[in-house]
Amino acid sequence: MIFGTIMFSNIFVPTDTMPVVVRQIAEWNPVSAVVGALRELLSASAPVPADAAWPLHHPVWSAFGWCVVLLAVTVPLAVRRYTADHRIR
């Protein structure tokens, strides 16, 4: 799963050179958001195409948003799994 999210991101290739479907996936990919945020914060950001999606125009906010969403999904699942494992013993 990690390999797929990395390959469908803007790490290696700019999104404006990708086909339309792959470009949409890459622009909304959490890995692309984190990479864009790092590039912006480290002053190595490339110009963003005008027709790019919101996460590429606001990568820092997008990266924080993805972190919040992923934590909101995984923390309750982990707590539920942890409590279920300890009830059995």
Side-chain angles (χ1 to χ4, degrees):
M1 181 168 157
I2 298 294
F3 185 71
T5 58
I6 291 172
M7 292 308 294
F8 286 109
S9 68
N10 65 353
I11 293 177
F12 304 116
V13 180
T15 56
D16 55 346
T17 61
M18 297 178 181
V20 176
V21 174
V22 176
R23 180 180 181 179
Q24 292 297 317
I25 294 170
E27 288 179 341
W28 288 92
N29 189 338
V31 175
S32 294
V34 171
V35 168
L38 287 172
R39 286 178 180 156
E40 183 175 309
L41 293 172
L42 296 175
S43 299
S45 61
V48 178
D51 61 341
W54 185 86
L56 294 183
H57 285 286
H58 308 283
V60 176
W61 289 108
S62 178
F64 279 125
W66 274 112
C67 289
V68 168
V69 167
L70 291 174
L71 284 172
V73 170
T74 57
V75 168
L77 291 174
V79 168
R80 189 168 122 192
R81 174 79 185 255
Y82 180 77
T83 56
D85 285 347
H86 285 288
R87 270 189 251 148
I88 295 172
R89 294 181 188 176

